[in-house]
Amino acid sequence: RGLIEWLTLKHDASINHLTSTSDDVSSQPATKRAKQSSPENKDEVDESTISERLQKLNNILSQHDIGFLSLGPSTCPRHTTSICPKIVSIAPGRFSCSANVDACDVESARAAAKCVQIISTLGTDDESHLAGGLGNFRFCAASCVASGVPFFPAARGASLTDTDTIFPKIGFGIGLENGEFALNLLKEAKSIYAINTVFATRMKEELLPIQDVCSKLASEFDEHKKFSVEYLGIDTSFNPSLDKSGSIAAAIENLEEVRGDFGQCGSLSAAAAITTSLQSIPGIVKTGYCGLMLPVLEDRRLAELGMKSNDGS
């Protein structure tokens, strides 16, 4: 509780700086935190104890106005099907989690699929965060996700060590919802060949002020000597929003090499050029995925194209 209180105070002091650094890039001011992951407990914990702990943590988060908390990945198929749905079900939807699925791990993949099915049946009484299968926005199957990725629900912190439990070590990174910014950049670039130059200049201009605020925040923690805090960096990924102009797929269609709809000729080359450029922006400390995010249910243009495909048009 003390750690959460201290983090909240520092967060509140810096959030205005983050939200005022740019008109084009949203740093998602709704507070999101990823819990440090820890090895699966070999001892069974009964369901009532799990529910009690989750509710207690939920109350603490509510008191400090923390909107979202990722509880990290399940690495045990049994826990994926029994505990993950319970985590997601807690109202009003602060918690998210994921299941780690390694290559060729059929058991974990099936457990994740079963978890998705279970979550889709929750919320029959029209609870806002579960109704209509919405609970599955708070769960995902993830593979090769390193600590430091700031995007939910796959976000997680580094594993705890015995030292960390005595002297808490905290890392934080920034994830951006930047579909409209991507649209502006790709309209400016016009061609695949100009992407690297435009991104190197324009993204650096937008991200440096955010980076400066975060670096200053980390140094203020160090001066306090109460916790060890590390600024991990910015995940430079293109991440769509559900706003009218927030589609990444629609933004890519503005490149002259992309002939027709996204997914047709030129789309793969465009995606490769964008990814390379996002991972090589000069002067920016990077963390996480740093790539092109194309979630069908969170990108209006992708959803539209999917519906056209189903209609046979």
Side-chain angles (χ1 to χ4, degrees):
R1 178 188 290 267
L3 177 58
I4 291 176
E5 289 176 348
W6 174 250
L7 287 173
T8 302
L9 286 172
K10 301 305 291 185
H11 169 272
D12 292 343
S14 61
I15 196 63
N16 288 334
H17 295 290
L18 284 175
T19 54
S20 64
T21 53
S22 170
D23 294 328
D24 294 320
V25 180
S26 166
S27 56
Q28 299 188 45
T31 307
K32 296 186 177 183
R33 293 195 170 90
K35 187 180 183 297
Q36 291 171 305
S37 57
S38 56
E40 299 287 346
N41 194 339
K42 295 180 180 180
D43 299 322
E44 285 301 313
V45 180
D46 63 81
E47 290 193 11
S48 62
T49 301
I50 293 172
S51 297
E52 181 182 338
R53 290 177 180 176
L54 285 171
Q55 197 55 61
K56 183 176 181 179
L57 180 56
N58 192 39
N59 292 338
I60 294 172
L61 298 177
S62 176
Q63 291 170 14
H64 296 284
D65 200 25
I66 296 174
F68 301 91
L69 176 70
S70 175
L71 292 176
S74 166
T75 58
C76 169
R78 180 164 38 83
H79 290 176
T80 299
T81 56
S82 63
I83 297 178
C84 287
K86 188 175 293 294
I87 289 172
V88 170
S89 70
I90 300 293
R94 286 189 177 85
F95 296 127
S96 65
C97 59
S98 60
N100 186 70
V101 181
D102 293 326
C104 302
D105 187 349
V106 176
E107 184 183 9
S108 292
R110 287 177 173 168
K114 184 177 179 181
C115 181
V116 169
Q117 290 180 321
I118 294 171
I119 292 172
S120 71
T121 65
L122 302 175
T124 54
D125 56 351
D126 231 12
E127 292 182 58
S128 60
H129 81 288
L130 295 173
L134 290 177
N136 273 308
F137 279 102
R138 291 169 171 79
F139 173 80
C140 73
S143 183
C144 302
V145 176
S147 62
V149 174
F151 289 101
F152 284 36
R156 71 178 182 88
S159 297
L160 284 170
T161 66
D162 291 338
T163 303
D164 291 334
T165 60
I166 302 171
F167 304 103
K169 186 175 181 180
I170 306 159
F172 71 97
I174 301 295
L176 307 171
E177 188 175 274
N178 51 11
E180 185 173 357
F181 183 49
L183 174 63
N184 295 336
L185 290 179
L186 294 176
K187 280 184 175 180
E188 181 178 335
K190 297 180 182 178
S191 169
I192 288 174
Y193 298 104
I195 287 176
N196 190 60
T197 301
V198 171
F199 281 26
T201 302
R202 296 275 283 110
M203 288 199 75
K204 182 178 179 180
E205 288 175 357
E206 296 293 336
L207 299 183
L208 269 179
I210 297 174
Q211 178 169 281
D212 290 343
V213 172
C214 292
S215 298
K216 181 180 179 182
L217 178 62
S219 64
E220 288 176 357
F221 270 110
D222 288 340
E223 289 173 5
H224 192 274
K225 305 295 183 184
K226 188 171 185 178
F227 305 112
S228 175
V229 176
E230 178 186 6
Y231 166 54
L232 302 176
I234 299 174
D235 191 323
T236 58
S237 295
F238 271 178
N239 173 39
S241 73
L242 291 174
D243 296 334
K244 187 176 181 180
S245 55
S247 168
I248 299 298
I252 293 173
E253 289 176 344
N254 285 276
L255 294 170
E256 59 188 29
E257 291 88 354
V258 178
R259 312 293 173 82
D261 295 338
F262 176 81
Q264 295 182 356
C265 181
S267 299
L268 188 59
S269 296
I274 290 169
T275 300
T276 300
S277 298
L278 290 173
Q279 294 175 350
S280 56
I281 299 169
I284 299 299
V285 179
K286 301 171 193 67
T287 189
Y289 180 59
C290 295
L292 190 60
M293 294 190 177
L294 297 169
V296 177
L297 296 180
E298 299 178 46
D299 187 301
R300 288 181 178 273
R301 180 58 174 159
L302 280 182
E304 178 186 332
L305 292 172
M307 293 298 292
K308 284 175 64 176
S309 177
N310 288 337
D311 293 341
S313 57

